[in-house]
Amino acid sequence: MTKNLTQKEQIDNVLSMLDNKNFGLYFFTLDTKGNPTAGIATIYEHVKTLNELGCKAYILHEKNDYKLRGNQEGMGLADWLGNEYADLPHMSIESQELNIGAQDFIIIPEVFANVMDQVKKFPCKKIVLSQSYDYALELLPVGRRWTDYGFNDVITTSEKQARQLKSYFPSIKTHIVPVSIPEYFKDSKKPKIPVITILTREQGIAAKIAKMFYLQYPLYKWVTFKELRGLSRKQFAEELGKSCLAVWIDDNSGFGTFPLEAMECNTPVIGKMPALVPEWMETIDDKNNSVIKNNGVWTNTHVNIPELISTYMKAWLEDSVPTELLKGMESTKGEYTPEKQKSAIEEVYALLVNNRKEEYKQALEQINKLETEKA
């Protein structure tokens, strides 16, 4: 804002820019150097939708060499997520072209407490985007809260995560934007093949599960395990659609997107329940108690997963997969659509903009009140 304007004129200017969508939404994003990441894909979905809604949303990255296109060293973002996402507006901090004003919004993933500290004096509205509650405290100094850096709002993916974050930061305002499962996650047109797709947070665990299975059940040595890493999103979906079974182990998962993707592909899931049980894995019984749904084969330890795989493979080969499992999967499918996510994005960001307007309107009222009292 121009320095020679009065405080009232500055506020009027900000309000005018907010009313006319003349503000920027800057989403700080890590450069994964072409490595596919579900969390990055979600950030891009927010930016894409906001631009479609007429806002000016940007991917904000640290260096000029942010890897959008592939080269001889490997994939870029365009290769694993798509050109329509790589073509979205990007801005580099290193370029020194960033000029954030009071009318703007900066959105920082929960893990980057160090970046929150760096931007705490920015005049803009500051928001946390938390997709995994487990990362919220990772770089946060002991005794510090997000609100200490001027971050009073957090966008997360479920009510469960919102409650968990509230337990850490009681004064934070929470907003829910669910994940979405793209339409290309669908069943293969061909019969399923004896391939078990597996996704684990720790790469070594996937290999350990496969070794345990082959040692305990050599009868199934012809079954193939395929770890889903380093694939484009559409290749990932295609492999998931072809496989007869998916295995998922992620103890600290915040939402659990992979099992939902598998269900949309009509591929049953064997999984270890994470510390924070996802909302789609639970239901309420007649006595108002939380119970685990039958939309997958869930266990509380990875030790018995080879046994569960063996039991499932026998049922699959005999065409006797439990009806309860198939019905549970069917009841979960279609819950997390792109349309629902887009609607939530529109609603949540509109609320954040309106709340920002109210802050400035209240400031204007205070100035008017003080001027009246002086008169």
Side-chain angles (χ1 to χ4, degrees):
M1 290 181 284
T2 307
K3 289 184 179 179
N4 60 358
L5 293 177
T6 67
Q7 193 173 14
K8 283 179 68 174
E9 288 172 332
Q10 290 178 17
I11 292 174
D12 283 334
N13 196 21
V14 170
L15 285 170
S16 174
M17 285 188 280
L18 289 170
D19 282 334
N20 294 300
K21 290 189 176 180
N22 189 18
F23 57 85
L25 296 120
Y26 299 90
F27 289 75
F28 184 77
T29 308
L30 180 69
D31 186 357
T32 65
K33 299 300 181 185
N35 294 314
T37 308
I40 299 295
T42 296
I43 292 174
Y44 271 85
E45 209 60 60
H46 282 230
V47 172
K48 179 174 177 287
T49 299
L50 287 165
N51 277 288
E52 290 170 350
L53 291 169
C55 296
K56 298 173 183 175
Y58 303 83
I59 294 292
L60 178 64
H61 48 89
E62 188 175 0
K63 301 290 184 180
N64 290 333
D65 64 351
Y66 187 82
K67 196 171 183 183
L68 287 173
R69 313 287 173 184
N71 54 29
Q72 65 274 15
E73 296 177 1
M75 293 193 298
L77 184 122
D79 302 295
W80 70 265
L81 193 55
N83 283 316
E84 62 180 321
Y85 296 93
D87 291 338
L88 290 170
H90 288 70
M91 185 164 289
S92 164
I93 296 172
E94 188 180 43
S95 69
Q96 298 186 345
E97 294 177 359
L98 185 64
N99 184 21
I100 292 181
Q103 72 281 0
D104 297 316
F105 298 74
I106 190 165
I107 300 94
I108 309 287
E110 76 285 275
V111 70
F112 295 114
N114 56 329
V115 179
M116 296 181 199
D117 187 31
Q118 292 168 17
V119 304
K120 63 186 177 185
K121 293 184 179 179
F122 283 21
C124 61
K125 175 67 181 177
K126 306 171 192 73
I127 302 162
V128 179
L129 177 58
S130 178
Q131 299 185 58
S132 181
Y133 74 96
D134 186 55
Y135 290 146
L137 308 180
E138 193 155 313
L139 297 178
L140 193 65
V142 175
R144 301 305 298 270
R145 301 175 185 271
W146 289 339
T147 48
D148 296 335
Y149 306 119
F151 289 78
N152 298 303
D153 292 79
V154 58
I155 299 169
T156 189
T157 56
S158 70
E159 291 289 351
K160 273 203 152 189
Q161 287 213 83
R163 287 195 296 272
Q164 188 67 28
L165 293 169
K166 270 280 192 182
S167 73
Y168 302 153
F169 314 110
S171 65
I172 204 84
K173 296 174 185 175
T174 58
H175 311 272
I176 310 298
V177 175
V179 302
S180 67
I181 311 301
E183 294 175 356
Y184 49 77
F185 281 92
K186 57 187 178 183
D187 197 0
S188 173
K189 294 179 180 179
K190 298 179 180 179
K192 301 280 190 184
I193 59 177
V195 170
I196 298 169
T197 45
I198 183 166
L199 187 72
T200 62
R201 181 172 292 206
E202 297 177 29
Q203 196 165 357
I205 294 207
K208 188 181 291 186
I209 293 293
K211 291 174 184 178
M212 290 166 61
F213 178 76
Y214 289 135
L215 288 172
Q216 292 175 289
Y217 303 97
L219 174 66
Y220 293 114
K221 62 183 179 181
W222 47 271
V223 173
T224 302
F225 282 81
K226 185 159 191 174
E227 195 170 4
L228 297 183
R229 293 182 188 273
L231 300 175
S232 72
R233 290 289 284 159
K234 290 185 178 178
Q235 287 176 317
F236 187 102
E238 186 179 341
E239 293 297 333
L240 200 48
K242 290 191 295 188
S243 64
C244 67
L245 178 66
V247 173
W248 175 61
I249 302 173
D250 188 350
D251 289 338
N252 299 315
S253 173
F255 191 85
T257 308
F258 178 70
L260 295 170
E261 292 168 341
M263 290 181 214
E264 293 295 335
C265 293
N266 210 32
T267 301
V269 184
I270 291 174
K272 183 177 182 291
M273 291 185 291
L276 185 69
V277 177
E279 60 181 23
W280 52 261
M281 195 184 279
E282 282 187 322
T283 189
I284 304 298
D285 65 11
D286 297 337
K287 297 180 181 179
N288 206 33
N289 296 317
S290 294
V291 294
I292 300 299
K293 287 183 178 180
N294 290 322
N295 51 6
V297 180
W298 312 119
T299 177
N300 58 11
T301 175
H302 73 266
V303 175
N304 68 340
I305 284 180
E307 179 185 356
L308 296 172
I309 294 172
S310 173
T311 301
Y312 177 81
M313 290 304 299
K314 184 176 184 296
W316 180 68
L317 290 168
E318 295 174 352
D319 199 22
S320 59
V321 175
T323 304
E324 295 81 6
L325 173 59
L326 299 176
K327 285 183 178 178
M329 290 168 56
E330 198 62 35
S331 68
T332 306
K333 288 167 68 174
E335 284 296 307
Y336 299 95
T337 63
E339 290 73 26
K340 288 182 180 179
Q341 186 189 53
K342 287 176 183 178
S343 177
I345 288 173
E346 183 173 13
E347 181 180 335
V348 165
Y349 286 95
L351 176 63
L352 289 165
V353 172
N354 285 332
N355 288 347
R356 187 65 167 166
K357 290 179 188 177
E358 286 303 313
E359 289 176 21
Y360 278 102
K361 287 177 181 177
Q362 289 175 15
L364 200 56
E365 286 176 5
Q366 284 293 107
I367 293 171
N368 290 332
K369 183 179 178 181
L370 288 171
E371 288 180 348
T372 303
E373 289 174 354
K374 285 181 180 180

